[in-house]
Amino acid sequence: MSQQQLPVVVIGAGPTGLAAAAHLVERGIGALVLEAGPAAASAVREWSHVRLFSTWGELTDPAAEKLLAPTGWTKPDAAGYPTGGDWAEQYLQPLADALGDRVRYGARVTGVSRAGRDRIVDVDREAQPFVLHLTTADGREERVYARAVIDASGTWTIPSPAGASGLSALGENAAADRITYRVPDLKDPAVRARYAGKRTAVVGSGASAFTALATLADVARDEPGTHAVWVLRRGISGSTFGGGEADQLPARGALGLAAKAAVDNGYADAVTGFRTEAIERTGDGRLVLVGEDGRRLEPVDEVIVLTGLRPDLSFLSEIRLGLDERLQAPTGLAPLIDPNQHSCGTVYPHGHRELSHPEQGVYLVGMKSYGRAPTFLAMTGYEQVRSVAAAIAGDLDAADRVELTLPETGVCGGAGLFDAPDAQEAGSGGCCAPAPQLVQIGTPAAVAPAAEQAPAGGCCGS
């Protein structure tokens, strides 16, 4: 069988992976989607309680809609804000169903290479098809061959630690019973009981941290003694809470305002310029966060670590990837998204050229293409795979066209220069902060209407 007769294998049946398959099908190219979980969008389902800050109109892909149309699928109201569960059930699973046997569940990819060629061998390398090793849900090992590989496996499985060095803080692993790396579902009575009446540290500065702070404030209104300690590596500035009313994604701006209300109304204290070095356990089992500067925070009952996610590159070790040394993103894409250089602003639309690697025919797309960079949007992934599918089909005119306009990001930094503790805040839009301090603003009061109306979530796809 020639390479052209082999399918393009897509790793991951999440939003971007399924969109990639839809674009391939639209171009008459065979596609096979390998999904490790038992259903489509398995990662999205793990944050099914979180409401997105993108509307339905920004969460469905045009090629996918065409594939769904004959099935009787009805597109949700474009102005609505779904939860992760809504996204999975009302769009992603129906799309996977429309793709039929092109999607295989319980198929975890454990390795990708060129058939008969490890990463060292040059001879006839590009003439060989790709080979993927996988394990099935019942433990069997299989291999499949592909003409090209689109890795849309996301970053959900590898959360970043609390430790500011990028390594787990000393004692962090031992304290795992009181630490979560996900936004908890505080509408679940069992989960709510874990945090109600307790003191919880929230480590992180992005949309997920905003979500956790806002939902903990909701609990605090009803459950006396519930309090959050927001731990930031930088300080409080005008841009700490995102774009606010100026954000072109209004729900994302409202989410930041809800987090600000949690601090303003006394439901949370903000500890700034704090880089966690160790997590110690007290005699009664509570946890103490210790900073690199020697500061020790008051004991907390629980810790929610929301410091970002990382790509799993382990199964790509035999593939020749070109990755930025900081972000672990494709070298052509990294300058467009590097938080060492960009704060609030637009990430330029990009496609197959920015996503290419020394190993021709391999593409990292979706959240995984961003490596460790934040602020990925689902519609960015849809544009990526539209371009990649066109490139695989040999339609470079379409592949090189820009067919997307992104809203202002509204979310600032979180790494690189934004963590500099001694940097001064620039007048408009700077993301740096003053010296370390404990900030408690206002006194407990009713949460402002803007916080009550804010959608609960900040995830935006993978």
Side-chain angles (χ1 to χ4, degrees):
M1 180 181 292
S2 71
Q3 285 198 47
Q4 295 303 306
Q5 294 175 298
L6 292 172
V8 174
V9 171
V10 180
I11 305 173
T16 308
L18 293 173
H23 280 276
L24 292 167
V25 169
E26 185 176 50
R27 288 184 169 274
I29 299 172
L32 173 62
V33 181
L34 301 176
E35 166 58 43
S42 294
V44 173
R45 293 175 191 273
E46 291 192 28
W47 47 269
S48 60
H49 59 289
V50 176
R51 190 169 300 280
L52 290 91
F53 51 60
S54 295
T55 64
W56 270 117
E58 297 155 340
L59 293 170
T60 60
D61 174 81
E65 291 182 20
K66 292 179 184 177
L67 190 64
L68 281 164
T71 70
W73 175 77
T74 301
K75 183 176 180 178
D77 179 7
Y81 293 94
T83 63
D86 296 334
W87 200 16
E89 292 299 329
Q90 298 178 39
Y91 168 65
L92 296 170
Q93 189 63 57
L95 176 54
D97 294 342
L99 288 164
D101 59 9
R102 299 182 184 91
V103 181
R104 282 191 60 183
Y105 301 113
R108 181 177 299 278
V109 175
T110 58
V112 183
S113 187
R114 290 279 189 178
R117 306 288 189 274
D118 62 23
R119 68 183 297 161
I120 299 174
V121 179
D122 291 333
V123 178
D124 293 331
R125 185 175 189 84
E126 292 183 8
Q128 306 305 313
F130 292 98
V131 58
L132 294 89
H133 285 204
L134 58 93
T135 57
T136 62
D138 59 5
R140 290 180 296 108
E141 293 183 309
E142 295 183 18
R143 69 167 61 92
V144 297
Y145 295 92
R147 61 182 285 194
V149 177
I150 299 176
D151 183 357
S153 59
T155 58
W156 179 251
T157 59
I158 307 183
S160 296
S165 63
L167 305 175
S168 296
L170 297 180
E172 183 172 350
N173 296 332
D177 60 317
R178 289 180 179 257
I179 301 176
T180 182
Y181 298 86
R182 312 298 188 197
V183 176
D185 182 1
L186 296 178
K187 292 184 179 180
D188 181 323
V191 177
R192 185 183 180 92
R194 177 173 173 176
Y195 297 94
K198 305 290 181 62
R199 182 176 171 87
T200 300
V202 178
V203 184
S205 60
S208 294
F210 293 168
T211 302
L213 289 167
T215 54
L216 284 170
D218 288 341
V219 175
R221 289 203 301 272
D222 302 324
E223 303 283 354
T226 306
H227 195 77
V229 180
W230 187 20
V231 181
L232 298 104
R233 294 171 186 168
R234 57 180 187 262
I236 297 287
S237 75
S239 56
T240 296
F241 299 97
E245 295 179 358
D247 198 318
Q248 290 183 22
L249 290 178
R252 182 173 56 191
L255 181 63
L257 294 176
K260 185 176 186 300
V263 177
D264 288 346
N265 290 296
Y267 296 124
D269 299 332
V271 179
T272 64
F274 191 94
R275 297 168 180 266
T276 306
E277 184 175 70
I279 299 178
E280 299 177 356
R281 196 183 290 267
T282 64
D284 60 1
R286 303 177 82 198
L287 302 179
V288 174
L289 274 63
V290 182
E292 291 180 348
D293 57 4
R295 281 184 296 163
R296 302 170 63 86
L297 302 187
E298 291 295 318
V300 297
D301 301 286
E302 300 286 342
V303 180
I304 302 173
V305 179
L306 300 168
T307 53
L309 301 163
R310 301 174 178 184
D312 180 3
L313 301 170
S314 61
F315 61 87
L316 300 175
S317 62
E318 295 306 315
I319 291 295
R320 298 175 177 179
L321 299 178
L323 298 175
D324 179 75
E325 67 273 13
R326 293 159 297 183
L327 300 183
Q328 296 178 299
T331 53
L333 174 60
L336 304 181
I337 61 174
D338 188 353
N340 287 286
Q341 301 176 27
H342 300 285
S343 54
C344 304
T346 298
V347 174
Y348 295 103
H350 52 274
H352 73 110
R353 295 194 186 278
E354 292 83 2
L355 298 169
S356 64
H357 293 276
E359 194 82 68
Q360 294 185 22
V362 172
Y363 302 93
L364 275 57
V365 300
M367 188 65 223
K368 190 164 187 176
S369 71
Y370 269 41
R372 300 192 184 196
T375 69
F376 179 80
L377 296 174
M379 51 187 164
T380 299
Y382 298 157
E383 172 65 5
Q384 288 178 341
V385 296
R386 181 205 63 78
S387 173
V388 166
I392 291 172
D395 186 355
L396 294 183
D397 286 342
D400 289 335
R401 279 201 305 269
V402 173
E403 298 183 1
L404 176 67
T405 301
L406 290 171
E408 289 288 330
T409 180
V411 179
C412 299
L417 62 87
F418 302 113
D419 279 340
D422 56 349
Q424 298 298 311
E425 180 183 354
S428 59
C431 299
C432 303
Q437 56 184 308
L438 172 66
V439 180
Q440 185 171 13
I441 308 172
T443 56
V447 175
E452 295 178 344
Q453 297 171 5
C459 298
C460 49
S462 62

